[in-house]
Amino acid sequence: MLIAGEASGDLLAAELVAELRERLPEANFFGAGGTKMSGAGVELVHEMSQLSVVGVTDVLMKLFELRQLMQKLLAAAIKRQPDVIIGVDYGGFNLRFSHAVKEYVRNNPFGTWKPRIVQFVSPQVWASRPGRAKRLAEDYDLLLSIFPFEKDWYAQRVPRLRVEFVGHPMVGRFTNDDLAKFTNDDLRFTRRTQDANHPRQIVLLPGSRRSELKRHLPPMLGALKMIQEKFPSARAKMILPSQALEELAGRLITSATNLDIQIGNLPEALTLADIAIAKTGTVTMECAFFGVPTVTLYKGSWLNYQIARHLITVKTFTMPNLLAKEEVYPEFLQNALTAENLAGAALDLLQNDARRQRIKSQLAQVIASLGGPGASQRAAEAVLSLIM
């Protein structure tokens, strides 16, 4: 049984299922997720595309739906009694679901169902509410980590929890052609900067939720206008994950601008980009992988921000900065997220060659720390070690 509640988790789960099926062809898979999981042969008990939540306010607005889903999936797990339950990212929900399963098993000591519980991608307990690590240790048999520092972090706090660093799945996801373009990036940019009239290529990544688009797009568009005043030939491409978000973006763009909107195919856009302006989150790691200097941003609701500022202990929301232990990507959060701030940082990245090269060097070290290709294979082998 697998549960993934985000588009990125849906892809991770599908890749993991493919590796598990290769090693265990007779296995059956069911759970909750999206089109990628369904395409990988997972029988969906629930389609999760409408239940993407972030922050307390999103959870409160969808609390009834989330409770219904919890009951539905718990009933399915009890009825079908899978050997392994794998939560894929979606930490808030999966931690509660796994605890509910463990409570059911503990309250039925004479039952024969003893599922192994796995979490693929650590919840960011190291960023906020570190006490949740104890709950993980109580309820989970295996935690599959994709970032190198997490294994030591858990070992210092809950050594009884088995944590395996499998590497970042992104590293093995791109083709050799993608990597070749990335390798040639420095030469490509050198040629471009020698031509003052070359149209700079800018990628905008506002997020994958409607609320993110509504909060992030206005300052991003304002910044783009300022950049294009400095570089009139500059072209921008916004990458969105769905047609529904493309339609929303079309309504939010109220003035003419040199901007194309594209659904998916982010690697191609990043191989051609001079800079990106991106929401903090998974996508910043893809920007890092392709060596793209990036300005990062995030703005949540006022209530979510007030709660988060008292809970979050890390100094940055941008993962490449966390991994580098310094600011590689300029970051603007909440009230600091203004068109002027974004434009100023973006123009500096476009015009400061020395800073660009320093960022590229830092990013290369960050990516090297993530392990080699094969994260999904290593994850599958770790999962199977629980039952074979």
Side-chain angles (χ1 to χ4, degrees):
M1 183 179 191
L2 299 99
I3 301 173
E6 307 279 355
S8 57
D10 185 40
L11 176 57
L12 281 179
E15 292 172 339
L16 178 59
V17 166
E19 295 297 335
L20 288 169
R21 194 183 297 282
E22 184 174 315
R23 291 160 176 76
L24 200 64
E26 69 275 17
N28 293 313
F29 300 89
F30 73 98
T35 56
K36 295 287 195 303
M37 285 173 62
S38 178
V42 179
E43 177 192 342
L44 294 186
V45 175
H46 191 89
E47 211 287 330
M48 296 284 277
S49 62
Q50 301 304 314
L51 267 179
S52 175
V53 293
V54 59
V56 173
T57 55
D58 273 12
V59 171
L60 290 175
M61 286 189 292
K62 295 186 177 181
L63 187 59
F64 180 70
E65 293 176 76
L66 289 167
R67 282 179 173 172
Q68 281 191 316
L69 176 62
M70 181 75 68
Q71 293 169 359
K72 180 180 181 180
L73 294 180
L74 183 58
I78 293 169
K79 180 180 179 180
R80 301 179 66 160
Q81 300 195 352
D83 297 290
V84 181
I85 296 173
I86 306 173
V88 185
D89 212 349
Y90 207 48
F93 183 90
N94 280 325
L95 262 65
R96 289 171 175 81
F97 180 75
S98 297
H99 184 69
V101 171
K102 282 288 186 172
E103 283 295 291
Y104 175 85
V105 173
R106 289 168 188 143
N107 291 330
N108 292 271
F110 301 109
T112 59
W113 182 42
K114 307 291 182 185
R116 300 293 189 174
I117 311 291
V118 179
Q119 177 66 21
F120 187 16
V121 181
S122 168
Q124 294 184 351
V125 295
W126 37 262
S128 68
R129 293 173 285 172
R132 291 179 297 168
K134 294 180 180 178
R135 172 67 64 83
L136 280 161
E138 291 171 359
D139 294 336
Y140 282 87
D141 298 288
L142 174 64
L143 175 63
L144 300 171
S145 161
I146 66 172
F147 294 117
F149 66 87
E150 292 174 326
K151 186 167 184 174
D152 287 341
W153 188 93
Y154 281 105
Q156 292 172 16
R157 291 161 180 82
V158 283
R160 68 184 182 278
L161 175 63
R162 180 184 169 190
V163 180
E164 297 291 344
F165 170 58
V166 297
H168 203 295
M170 171 192 70
V171 175
R173 194 172 285 158
F174 301 111
T175 67
N176 290 332
D177 288 342
D178 292 328
L179 296 175
K181 292 174 184 176
F182 173 39
T183 303
N184 293 328
D185 179 74
D186 287 345
L187 178 60
R188 172 179 60 82
F189 185 73
T190 299
R191 290 197 299 266
R192 286 185 174 189
T193 52
Q194 290 173 350
D195 179 6
N197 297 319
H198 172 79
R200 302 300 192 263
Q201 304 290 326
I202 303 163
V203 172
L204 302 184
L205 301 165
S208 59
R209 299 180 178 93
R210 295 176 65 86
S211 60
E212 291 172 342
L213 223 63
K214 291 176 180 178
R215 291 192 181 102
H216 296 161
L217 203 50
M220 293 176 90
L221 294 174
L224 178 60
K225 181 179 179 182
M226 296 177 194
I227 295 168
Q228 290 176 333
E229 288 172 356
K230 178 71 175 179
F231 295 100
S233 63
R235 295 196 59 83
K237 181 174 289 187
M238 184 191 307
I239 311 298
L240 297 171
S242 69
Q243 185 174 350
L245 286 180
E246 180 186 29
E247 292 170 357
L248 174 59
R251 294 194 295 272
L252 293 173
I253 299 172
T254 57
S255 59
T257 183
N258 198 353
L259 171 65
D260 297 323
I261 302 178
Q262 174 178 304
I263 299 176
N265 203 6
L266 177 59
E268 178 188 25
L270 290 178
T271 59
L272 299 173
D274 293 306
I275 64 165
I277 303 176
K279 186 209 91 168
T280 60
T282 303
V283 74
T284 63
M285 290 302 300
E286 296 184 73
C287 293
F289 184 85
F290 284 92
V292 179
T294 300
V295 181
T296 70
L297 57 96
Y298 191 82
K299 186 172 186 178
S301 70
W302 180 86
L303 178 58
N304 281 339
Y305 175 68
Q306 295 304 317
I307 295 171
R309 64 195 290 261
H310 295 293
L311 296 175
I312 293 174
T313 57
V314 293
K315 295 181 179 180
T316 176
F317 285 8
T318 302
M319 185 55 72
N321 292 352
L322 278 172
L323 293 171
K325 299 181 181 179
E326 61 179 309
E327 183 181 276
V328 179
Y329 285 166
E331 176 186 81
F332 299 99
L333 307 175
Q334 229 38 42
N335 294 334
L337 174 50
T338 66
E340 291 76 13
N341 284 344
L342 291 180
L347 286 169
D348 181 56
L349 293 182
L350 283 170
Q351 297 172 296
N352 189 333
D353 291 351
R355 188 177 184 192
R356 289 182 62 86
Q357 294 307 318
R358 185 169 65 255
I359 288 174
K360 287 176 179 294
S361 176
Q362 291 169 312
L363 294 178
Q365 294 178 35
V366 165
I367 298 304
S369 75
L370 298 179
S376 295
Q377 294 95 311
R378 291 187 288 273
E381 289 163 3
V383 169
L384 293 178
S385 73
L386 295 173
I387 58 173
M388 298 181 70

